[in-house]
Amino acid sequence: MADYILAIDQGTTGTTVALMDSTGRLRASVNNEFPQHYPKPGWVDHRVDDIRASVDKGIRGVLRKGVCKASEIAAIGITNQRETALLWDRETGEALNNAVVWQCRRTTDFCETLKSRGFEKTVRRKAGLVLDPYFSASKFRWLLHNTPGIRRRLDAGRVAAGTVDSYLVWQLTGGERHVTDVSNAARTSLMNLKRLAWDSELAELFEVPLALLPEIVPTSGTLGHTRGVRGLPDGIPIAGMAGDQQAALFGQACFGVGDAKCTFGTGSFIVMNTGDELLHSHAGLLTTVAWQLGEGGRPVYALEGGAFICGAAVQWLRDGLKLIRRSADVEALAAEVEDHGGVEFVPALTGLGAPHWVPEARGLITGLTRGSTRGHIARATLDAIALQNADILGAMEKDLGRRMRPLRVDGGASANNLLMQIQADVLGRKLIRPQVIETTVAGASYLAGVGIGLWRGTSDIRRIWQAGEEFRVRLSAPARRRRRDSWETALERTLR
């Protein structure tokens, strides 16, 4: 009986492929990393072939675990790094350039030009997003202006544009389907949030021909079928697809209005379910689509705030400063000291995201003395991750006009107990970590399972989801205020 879901989680630094059974239990997973490329300061690229190879290798690797046969896979769910933009040839499937990664700031000048011409209100009103190089539209424009031989291919109608989800479906279906789901389309600056359709005014503004873009489809439901995928039979339905943060929100069973989660990955992202209300932020947050279950289903909207650098700050301690050998070592190193010792690290290594939106900001370490140690820098790094999230949460509460419920946390860095305790302390909120912390994988699996009727919507998913450890606030309110004041002083220096 085919009752396993194959989940593909294509992330910024690697790809995880996992198998979930019909009870909602994750039975196996493999992860394959791939290199990042930094051709200029502030630029971040991926080789598209590296992305594809990591997915292919992951599919073969998870099947070698022997949990099930390929013929027992009932559906495939996809979740992906959002906003990363790429172009490929419709006839050959060949990538036409490197993918421009969501972290990349190469289109800052163009976005600033649009701001100076007064177009930010238009983008916010229609797409729910700020004018920032973070989002896909300006990246598509850059690729169209800077890819050798693009004009000849455009004239021949051979160019396809899309985010990573679109590219993966194209490859998995043997080029039969060029689609993106509403959650990924909502992150391009090209989709009208009310109509869930590409907007011709926005496309003209960013100089992106609509003919290049994929069809927009729901997050759950049959989106295509496998064809010619090594190791998999033809005909497996691809039945769920969502951007990583929306997949995590679904995977955390945040189905009620006001439910929120924070994913600690390369960046950290807080997303809050606002139901069918399209709530525009007045505090620097983004309005986005969380999901749409089935053709004609009502869209669920969300507010989101993201810090570009979270786990990437720890990777920088490892690879850039050589302070630790493994990312996991940061917890023990930070625990060597009682607190940050006055050291502040503002990890604006690729600019600042919500709620500040300063793409030209650069990182800062301040407060160093002769008594400062490696431990203080490590502790300041964990503090910075938590404090960035606290800033986002504060902005979110302003928009809501009320306090949030306990925050659900997930992602690789949520396994760091010290970081989770710091987060609870600086937020002044209880944190709940689920038993399965890789909720992007879970969300993609749930969406695919719902898409084929394996589970009957969100009510079944609520029963599957299980809470794990809780982290309660230990820091007093005055101490929390002092810690936040010290952070804000350092942040102001970065923003000058």
Side-chain angles (χ1 to χ4, degrees):
M1 179 180 174
D3 58 0
Y4 287 87
I5 304 294
L6 179 78
I8 300 171
D9 180 1
Q10 202 301 291
T12 309
T13 57
T15 299
T16 297
V17 180
L19 287 166
M20 178 178 280
D21 65 22
S22 59
T23 70
R25 180 184 166 202
L26 282 175
R27 298 290 302 277
S29 70
V30 296
N31 178 265
N32 293 291
E33 291 191 355
F34 54 82
Q36 318 294 297
H37 300 280
Y38 310 97
K40 294 182 181 180
W43 291 32
V44 191
D45 281 3
H46 287 157
R47 291 197 180 103
V48 179
D49 286 347
D50 290 343
I51 293 175
R52 182 176 179 180
S54 72
V55 173
D56 292 344
K57 186 177 179 182
I59 293 171
R60 296 194 301 271
V62 81
L63 288 173
R64 280 199 297 267
K65 299 256 184 190
V67 170
C68 72
K69 298 176 182 177
S71 60
E72 295 178 291
I73 296 172
I76 295 173
I78 295 172
T79 183
N80 56 284
Q81 53 168 313
R82 304 171 304 170
E83 298 96 16
T84 296
L86 54 155
L87 304 178
W88 65 94
D89 189 297
R90 290 180 182 272
E91 293 185 11
T92 66
E94 170 197 6
L96 303 181
N97 207 325
N98 284 352
V100 182
V101 179
W102 60 273
Q103 295 168 313
C104 187
R105 316 306 288 170
R106 73 186 65 181
T107 62
T108 296
D109 289 346
F110 173 72
C111 291
E112 290 301 318
T113 297
L114 292 185
K115 282 184 187 179
S116 68
R117 292 168 59 192
F119 287 116
E120 183 150 42
K121 286 185 179 180
T122 301
V123 175
R124 264 202 173 277
R125 176 172 51 84
K126 290 193 166 190
L129 308 175
V130 296
L131 259 175
D132 190 86
Y134 178 27
F135 305 105
S136 312
S138 65
K139 303 183 196 307
F140 288 136
R141 178 186 179 276
W142 187 93
L143 286 166
L144 290 169
H145 281 256
N146 292 277
T147 297
I150 193 69
R151 177 48 55 192
R152 173 176 51 83
R153 294 178 192 262
L154 284 169
D155 291 343
R158 291 178 56 171
V159 178
T163 43
V164 172
D165 59 310
S166 299
Y167 175 74
L168 293 183
V169 173
W170 179 279
Q171 295 295 336
L172 290 170
T173 62
E176 287 189 349
R177 295 288 282 158
H178 186 205
V179 297
T180 187
D181 89 290
V182 291
S183 72
N184 277 294
R187 311 295 297 186
T188 62
S189 298
L190 296 172
M191 188 185 82
N192 187 299
L193 282 182
K194 290 182 179 179
R195 295 190 292 106
L196 304 185
W198 299 124
D199 190 284
S200 58
E201 182 183 6
L202 293 175
E204 183 177 352
L205 182 65
F206 287 98
E207 303 171 29
V208 179
L210 288 174
L212 307 186
L213 297 174
E215 175 190 353
I216 299 175
V217 297
T219 52
S220 185
T222 299
L223 316 175
H225 295 84
T226 55
R227 190 184 73 165
V229 180
R230 183 180 173 189
L232 295 179
D234 288 352
I236 299 174
I238 301 166
M241 185 162 68
D244 51 10
Q245 302 315 313
Q246 290 96 326
L249 192 70
F250 201 87
Q252 283 276 35
C254 291
F255 302 137
V257 174
D259 287 347
K261 66 90 205 174
C262 179
T263 296
F264 294 79
T266 303
S268 60
F269 300 91
I270 296 174
V271 184
M272 185 196 67
N273 184 327
T274 62
D276 59 7
E277 182 181 2
L278 205 168
L279 181 64
H280 286 284
S281 174
H282 299 287
L285 300 174
L286 307 174
T287 304
T288 194
V289 179
W291 54 75
Q292 180 189 21
L293 301 183
E295 197 69 46
R298 290 179 67 87
V300 173
Y301 292 99
L303 282 177
E304 178 176 330
F308 297 145
I309 299 293
C310 175
V314 177
Q315 291 174 332
W316 181 68
L317 295 187
R318 181 193 68 190
D319 302 333
L321 297 187
K322 311 293 185 185
L323 292 186
I324 50 177
R325 292 183 61 188
R326 300 176 304 123
S327 292
D329 295 339
V330 71
E331 183 173 4
L333 180 57
E336 290 179 0
V337 295
E338 291 186 9
D339 56 33
H340 65 115
V343 177
E344 295 288 1
F345 173 31
V346 181
L349 306 181
T350 55
L352 284 173
H356 312 289
W357 297 109
V358 183
E360 66 275 11
R362 291 295 175 259
L364 173 73
I365 297 178
T366 187
L368 296 172
T369 68
R370 285 291 299 271
S372 300
T373 68
R374 294 163 60 245
H376 290 113
I377 295 175
R379 179 58 185 261
T381 300
L382 297 188
D383 282 7
I385 292 168
L387 287 158
Q388 287 182 119
N389 292 335
D391 288 345
I392 293 166
L393 179 59
M396 196 169 282
E397 290 182 328
K398 284 182 181 178
D399 281 328
L400 281 176
R402 60 175 176 171
R403 287 168 62 91
M404 283 179 58
R405 301 174 185 179
L407 188 67
R408 296 185 179 186
V409 296
D410 56 66
S414 70
N416 184 323
N417 288 335
L418 177 57
L419 174 58
M420 293 302 97
Q421 187 57 56
I422 294 169
Q423 186 69 84
D425 286 341
V426 299
L427 283 178
R429 304 286 185 282
K430 181 173 75 172
L431 268 57
I432 301 173
R433 185 171 62 195
Q435 289 190 9
V436 177
I437 64 173
E438 293 300 339
T439 52
T440 48
V441 166
S445 301
Y446 295 158
L447 286 165
V450 170
I452 61 168
L454 182 64
W455 296 301
R456 295 169 300 175
T458 57
S459 58
D460 279 357
I461 305 304
R462 284 186 195 275
R463 287 192 287 271
I464 291 171
W465 187 87
Q466 292 181 313
E469 192 167 356
E470 295 185 355
F471 296 85
R472 297 181 180 274
V473 180
R474 297 177 183 172
L475 197 65
S476 69
R480 183 179 312 113
R481 183 65 264 164
R482 289 193 296 271
R483 184 66 195 89
R484 297 282 294 270
D485 286 345
S486 177
W487 161 255
E488 287 169 9
T489 299
L491 191 61
E492 287 170 6
R493 293 182 181 179
T494 306
L495 295 172
R496 285 175 189 163

